[in-house]
Amino acid sequence: MKITFLVNQYARISGGNRALFEYANRLQRKGCEVRWFVMPPRVKWSRPLKKIKTYFDDGTIKPASSVDWMENSLPIEILPRKDAALIPDADVFVATAWQTAEFAATLPEKAGRKFYFIQHHESLWMRDQKTAEQTYQLPFQKIVISTWLGDLLRDQYGQSAHVLVTPVNSEVFYPAEKIWNSPRRVCMLHHDYDWKGFDDGIAAIQQTRAAGETVNLVVFGEKLADPAPLFRKAGFDFEYHYRPTKEKLRDIYASSDIYLCPSWHEGLGMPPMEAMACGSALVTTDTGGCRDYAIDGETALVSPPKDASALSQNLLSLLRDEQLLFALAERGQKKILSMNWDTNCNELLELFKNKR
């Protein structure tokens, strides 16, 4: 089976791209002929590409190989322009963002049966919401990464979708002997998107400290090399890791007692899931996508988005109740590890093969 993936240009490597690459690599290992294209103009990857395919205007291609953030990855091919003639004939074509779906709509049937892999409700942060919303009406078979996204497509757009919840890579993020800290270590992601809720998370930590509890905050991110502005805004210093490798990130998760997710919305939310796989208890907002793994009082403590006080109260609950902390961490880890890549990849391949 010939399968083409098309991704949009990104200023940095995203969790969504990493998950799609995992599918593409696994499908290739199953004997599929897989190709991976990036929309023009040339993407500025945050980690250097070892080798890339880049088209010249005459249609010839430079040599290609893999990227350093995926093992055994298939070549990346960067399109110089949106031209259907540059897209190969295939059995399946996978659009992965609203821009790629728009382009896919112009492609002939020989490009492959069209699928739309939706990993977030992109219109939530776009100025022109209708641009993304219109792509949800395209006559492609939709795949979504969370039940929330599936419900949203059905209720708001009248579209059906196949739910395929992205698993954690258990070869990277796995259970290890847990060391609990005193004072507790609370881990959080820094991102420049406001909807990631970093300011809300800092406010929750500030309120938690004001309530008399000592916590050590651990932050990782890839946008800001110098955390000094974050320290000044928060009013205190904290442990900060810039663009940690996956091995370092596993160590960060494993050494943390609580993972704090203050996002306003998430298509799914991989960092919380990775932290849970490594044994951290989860305190999160109701991001929508988290509902597939964050069950309030069972696998996590969940509060409304944009409510720093509620986040703080849930932090305080875990800081003051050791048994609850341990129980949530254990049940959360079990929930995450119940999902696996082999099952997902087989399900995706069967979906591609199904001539409905």
PDB file of all heavy atoms in Angstrom, residues 183-186 205 208-209 213-217 319:
ATOM      1  N   PRO A 183      10.535  18.654  49.798  1.00  0.00           N
ATOM      2  CA  PRO A 183       9.199  19.028  49.333  1.00  0.00           C
ATOM      3  C   PRO A 183       8.894  18.426  47.958  1.00  0.00           C
ATOM      4  O   PRO A 183       9.796  17.984  47.253  1.00  0.00           O
ATOM      5  CB  PRO A 183       9.248  20.558  49.270  1.00  0.00           C
ATOM      6  CG  PRO A 183      10.616  20.971  49.665  1.00  0.00           C
ATOM      7  CD  PRO A 183      11.450  19.797  49.870  1.00  0.00           C
ATOM      8  N   ARG A 184       7.616  18.440  47.595  1.00  0.00           N
ATOM      9  CA  ARG A 184       7.177  17.855  46.338  1.00  0.00           C
ATOM     10  C   ARG A 184       7.693  18.660  45.141  1.00  0.00           C
ATOM     11  O   ARG A 184       7.779  19.878  45.189  1.00  0.00           O
ATOM     12  CB  ARG A 184       5.649  17.790  46.268  1.00  0.00           C
ATOM     13  CG  ARG A 184       4.992  16.982  47.378  1.00  0.00           C
ATOM     14  CD  ARG A 184       5.418  15.533  47.346  1.00  0.00           C
ATOM     15  NE  ARG A 184       4.696  14.735  48.329  1.00  0.00           N
ATOM     16  CZ  ARG A 184       5.060  13.509  48.706  1.00  0.00           C
ATOM     17  NH1 ARG A 184       6.153  12.959  48.199  1.00  0.00           N
ATOM     18  NH2 ARG A 184       4.352  12.859  49.595  1.00  0.00           N
ATOM     19  N   ARG A 185       8.014  17.910  44.075  1.00  0.00           N
ATOM     20  CA  ARG A 185       8.395  18.532  42.806  1.00  0.00           C
ATOM     21  C   ARG A 185       7.176  18.550  41.883  1.00  0.00           C
ATOM     22  O   ARG A 185       6.554  17.508  41.654  1.00  0.00           O
ATOM     23  CB  ARG A 185       9.535  17.749  42.148  1.00  0.00           C
ATOM     24  CG  ARG A 185      10.885  17.982  42.808  1.00  0.00           C
ATOM     25  CD  ARG A 185      11.916  16.972  42.346  1.00  0.00           C
ATOM     26  NE  ARG A 185      12.147  16.956  40.903  1.00  0.00           N
ATOM     27  CZ  ARG A 185      13.033  17.735  40.285  1.00  0.00           C
ATOM     28  NH1 ARG A 185      13.747  18.613  40.979  1.00  0.00           N
ATOM     29  NH2 ARG A 185      13.216  17.647  38.979  1.00  0.00           N
ATOM     30  N   VAL A 186       6.857  19.734  41.365  1.00  0.00           N
ATOM     31  CA  VAL A 186       5.730  19.911  40.452  1.00  0.00           C
ATOM     32  C   VAL A 186       6.281  20.310  39.086  1.00  0.00           C
ATOM     33  O   VAL A 186       7.013  21.297  38.966  1.00  0.00           O
ATOM     34  CB  VAL A 186       4.746  20.986  40.961  1.00  0.00           C
ATOM     35  CG1 VAL A 186       3.605  21.193  39.954  1.00  0.00           C
ATOM     36  CG2 VAL A 186       4.185  20.587  42.328  1.00  0.00           C
ATOM     37  N   ILE A 205       0.743  28.014  41.390  1.00  0.00           N
ATOM     38  CA  ILE A 205       1.896  27.756  42.258  1.00  0.00           C
ATOM     39  C   ILE A 205       2.032  28.869  43.291  1.00  0.00           C
ATOM     40  O   ILE A 205       2.284  28.614  44.487  1.00  0.00           O
ATOM     41  CB  ILE A 205       3.189  27.642  41.424  1.00  0.00           C
ATOM     42  CG1 ILE A 205       3.141  26.413  40.506  1.00  0.00           C
ATOM     43  CG2 ILE A 205       4.412  27.595  42.326  1.00  0.00           C
ATOM     44  CD1 ILE A 205       3.183  25.086  41.223  1.00  0.00           C
ATOM     45  N   THR A 208      -0.553  28.364  45.908  1.00  0.00           N
ATOM     46  CA  THR A 208      -0.218  27.189  46.720  1.00  0.00           C
ATOM     47  C   THR A 208       0.837  27.542  47.770  1.00  0.00           C
ATOM     48  O   THR A 208       0.737  27.145  48.938  1.00  0.00           O
ATOM     49  CB  THR A 208       0.287  26.051  45.814  1.00  0.00           C
ATOM     50  OG1 THR A 208      -0.740  25.704  44.885  1.00  0.00           O
ATOM     51  CG2 THR A 208       0.683  24.830  46.622  1.00  0.00           C
ATOM     52  N   ARG A 209       1.816  28.314  47.368  1.00  0.00           N
ATOM     53  CA  ARG A 209       2.845  28.755  48.313  1.00  0.00           C
ATOM     54  C   ARG A 209       2.268  29.707  49.348  1.00  0.00           C
ATOM     55  O   ARG A 209       2.628  29.650  50.535  1.00  0.00           O
ATOM     56  CB  ARG A 209       3.984  29.431  47.545  1.00  0.00           C
ATOM     57  CG  ARG A 209       4.822  28.455  46.738  1.00  0.00           C
ATOM     58  CD  ARG A 209       5.955  29.152  46.013  1.00  0.00           C
ATOM     59  NE  ARG A 209       6.945  28.200  45.542  1.00  0.00           N
ATOM     60  CZ  ARG A 209       8.091  28.535  44.959  1.00  0.00           C
ATOM     61  NH1 ARG A 209       8.390  29.813  44.784  1.00  0.00           N
ATOM     62  NH2 ARG A 209       8.935  27.607  44.557  1.00  0.00           N
ATOM     63  N   GLU A 213       2.282  25.927  51.646  1.00  0.00           N
ATOM     64  CA  GLU A 213       2.930  24.705  51.178  1.00  0.00           C
ATOM     65  C   GLU A 213       4.178  25.036  50.362  1.00  0.00           C
ATOM     66  O   GLU A 213       4.183  25.956  49.546  1.00  0.00           O
ATOM     67  CB  GLU A 213       1.968  23.890  50.311  1.00  0.00           C
ATOM     68  CG  GLU A 213       0.743  23.375  51.053  1.00  0.00           C
ATOM     69  CD  GLU A 213       1.091  22.389  52.152  1.00  0.00           C
ATOM     70  OE1 GLU A 213       2.131  21.706  52.040  1.00  0.00           O
ATOM     71  OE2 GLU A 213       0.323  22.302  53.123  1.00  0.00           O
ATOM     72  N   THR A 214       5.227  24.269  50.592  1.00  0.00           N
ATOM     73  CA  THR A 214       6.466  24.431  49.849  1.00  0.00           C
ATOM     74  C   THR A 214       6.488  23.450  48.694  1.00  0.00           C
ATOM     75  O   THR A 214       6.298  22.241  48.891  1.00  0.00           O
ATOM     76  CB  THR A 214       7.682  24.181  50.743  1.00  0.00           C
ATOM     77  OG1 THR A 214       7.653  25.098  51.839  1.00  0.00           O
ATOM     78  CG2 THR A 214       8.983  24.360  49.960  1.00  0.00           C
ATOM     79  N   VAL A 215       6.687  23.956  47.488  1.00  0.00           N
ATOM     80  CA  VAL A 215       6.824  23.099  46.317  1.00  0.00           C
ATOM     81  C   VAL A 215       8.022  23.575  45.498  1.00  0.00           C
ATOM     82  O   VAL A 215       8.347  24.765  45.499  1.00  0.00           O
ATOM     83  CB  VAL A 215       5.563  23.111  45.428  1.00  0.00           C
ATOM     84  CG1 VAL A 215       4.376  22.514  46.143  1.00  0.00           C
ATOM     85  CG2 VAL A 215       5.250  24.507  44.926  1.00  0.00           C
ATOM     86  N   ASN A 216       8.663  22.639  44.847  1.00  0.00           N
ATOM     87  CA  ASN A 216       9.751  22.953  43.925  1.00  0.00           C
ATOM     88  C   ASN A 216       9.227  22.811  42.496  1.00  0.00           C
ATOM     89  O   ASN A 216       8.864  21.713  42.067  1.00  0.00           O
ATOM     90  CB  ASN A 216      10.946  22.024  44.152  1.00  0.00           C
ATOM     91  CG  ASN A 216      11.631  22.296  45.474  1.00  0.00           C
ATOM     92  OD1 ASN A 216      11.668  23.427  45.943  1.00  0.00           O
ATOM     93  ND2 ASN A 216      12.173  21.249  46.090  1.00  0.00           N
ATOM     94  N   LEU A 217       9.180  23.922  41.781  1.00  0.00           N
ATOM     95  CA  LEU A 217       8.654  23.914  40.420  1.00  0.00           C
ATOM     96  C   LEU A 217       9.766  23.539  39.434  1.00  0.00           C
ATOM     97  O   LEU A 217      10.876  24.054  39.506  1.00  0.00           O
ATOM     98  CB  LEU A 217       8.087  25.291  40.063  1.00  0.00           C
ATOM     99  CG  LEU A 217       7.512  25.447  38.650  1.00  0.00           C
ATOM    100  CD1 LEU A 217       6.327  24.514  38.438  1.00  0.00           C
ATOM    101  CD2 LEU A 217       7.097  26.891  38.396  1.00  0.00           C
ATOM    102  N   LEU A 319      -0.840  17.671  47.865  1.00  0.00           N
ATOM    103  CA  LEU A 319       0.273  17.965  48.760  1.00  0.00           C
ATOM    104  C   LEU A 319      -0.045  17.601  50.201  1.00  0.00           C
ATOM    105  O   LEU A 319       0.858  17.276  50.988  1.00  0.00           O
ATOM    106  CB  LEU A 319       0.628  19.456  48.667  1.00  0.00           C
ATOM    107  CG  LEU A 319       1.195  19.924  47.324  1.00  0.00           C
ATOM    108  CD1 LEU A 319       1.286  21.444  47.278  1.00  0.00           C
ATOM    109  CD2 LEU A 319       2.566  19.302  47.067  1.00  0.00           C
TER     110      LEU A 319
END
